[in-house]
Amino acid sequence: MSHHLLTHSYPIDIHCHQRRNDEALQILSFDTSDLALAKQSGAEASPNPISVGIHPWFIAKQDIYAAFELLENVCRLTNVLAIGECGLDKCIKTPLETQTAVFRRQIELAEQIRKPLIIHCVRAFNELLALRKALKPSQVWIIHGFTGKPALAAQLLEHGCYLSLGKALLKPKHPVTVTLPNIALHRLFLETDAAEEVSIGAIYSQAAKILGLDLPTLQRQIVANFERVFTHD
């Protein structure tokens, strides 16, 4: 994987959907249904780090064969740091069987090209872990936008997943504020996701407050996590 994209920028936003003015290293997420993604497959691909995947929400809105062809072409670009977001969602109409087939193929692709997965999972963690047990992937799985309770976090961590937390941390009574101190710091990431009104700096500041850490210490830990997950050869 190319290292020229990876800097010690503070802070790191592991998953976002729009380029921001924040002074941070941002991984911008594209779905294959996004027409803007086509530009990324050309010779003038943006140097900005991105992730690319087939989101379960958009499976039914595109030709899935063409989507996989595009994904397989784009995902090998040096600025593509991860596959995703992809995953499982029991709150949408697309049958879970169809979602699982699409997700499974992306898991296999991530293994082939040795890049981590950014995972969307809604009310399907049992199925997610069943896939992980069956496939025994070697690449890192990052559960993005995690808002669950400590017991679920512990289960995911036990099975080798990383957890990325976002704007829910800014809600004082949200369950994830209790979960955060129970997450091993070497498995933690932070993100803005689609929250246009929230800065990654605000999320880092709140996370540091909840953890009882000074901000530079938390930032260094996230950078170390990022380098370990994304800079392997």
Side-chain angles (χ1 to χ4, degrees), residues 23-45:
E23 298 219 350
L25 179 62
Q26 302 162 359
I27 299 182
L28 188 62
S29 179
F30 284 94
D31 187 86
T32 52
S33 64
D34 190 335
L35 294 178
L37 179 60
K39 297 178 181 179
Q40 298 290 338
S41 62
E44 298 180 356

Side-chain angles (χ1 to χ4, degrees), residues 7-12 189 204 218-228:
T7 71
H8 289 272
S9 299
Y10 293 128
I12 293 172
F189 285 113
Y204 269 77
L218 177 59
Q219 290 174 332
R220 286 193 296 270
Q221 179 65 62
I222 301 293
V223 167
N225 297 348
F226 183 84
E227 292 180 339
R228 184 173 61 254

Side-chain angles (χ1 to χ4, degrees), residues 94-111:
T94 302
L96 193 62
E97 182 180 1
T98 300
Q99 294 185 47
T100 301
V102 173
F103 182 37
R104 186 172 185 138
R105 186 166 172 182
Q106 290 179 91
I107 296 169
E108 292 167 352
L109 179 59
E111 292 297 302

Side-chain angles (χ1 to χ4, degrees), residues 4-171:
H4 76 279
L5 296 168
L6 308 176
T7 71
H8 289 272
S9 299
Y10 293 128
I12 293 172
D13 186 344
I14 203 69
H15 181 78
C16 60
H17 289 279
Q18 58 277 318
R19 189 62 59 193
R20 297 166 175 272
N21 294 324
D22 298 347
E23 298 219 350
L25 179 62
Q26 302 162 359
I27 299 182
L28 188 62
S29 179
F30 284 94
D31 187 86
T32 52
S33 64
D34 190 335
L35 294 178
L37 179 60
K39 297 178 181 179
Q40 298 290 338
S41 62
E44 298 180 356
S46 166
N48 293 314
I50 66 174
S51 64
V52 182
I54 303 174
H55 194 296
W57 290 359
F58 305 124
I59 291 172
K61 297 181 180 180
Q62 57 190 310
D63 179 329
I64 202 65
Y65 298 102
F68 271 114
E69 183 177 3
L70 178 59
L71 178 59
E72 289 173 359
N73 287 334
V74 172
C75 70
R76 290 177 171 80
L77 293 174
T78 56
N79 63 316
V80 176
L81 302 190
I83 300 297
E85 62 185 289
C86 56
L88 304 172
D89 191 327
K90 285 188 175 180
C91 293
I92 62 175
K93 293 181 179 179
T94 302
L96 193 62
E97 182 180 1
T98 300
Q99 294 185 47
T100 301
V102 173
F103 182 37
R104 186 172 185 138
R105 186 166 172 182
Q106 290 179 91
I107 296 169
E108 292 167 352
L109 179 59
E111 292 297 302
Q112 291 170 13
I113 65 174
R114 300 184 68 243
K115 292 182 181 181
L117 280 174
I118 307 292
I119 294 176
H120 169 100
C121 188
V122 177
R123 299 183 182 178
F125 286 102
N126 288 338
E127 291 82 357
L128 182 85
L129 290 175
L131 274 173
R132 187 167 177 84
K133 292 175 184 177
L135 298 177
K136 298 180 172 57
S138 61
Q139 298 307 301
V140 167
W141 287 16
I142 301 167
I143 311 299
H144 106 86
F146 184 78
T147 58
K149 295 181 179 179
L152 178 57
Q155 188 177 16
L156 291 165
L157 293 168
E158 181 183 353
H159 286 88
C161 296
Y162 284 63
L163 303 180
S164 182
L165 280 57
K167 68 176 183 178
L169 290 172
L170 302 177
K171 301 176 181 180

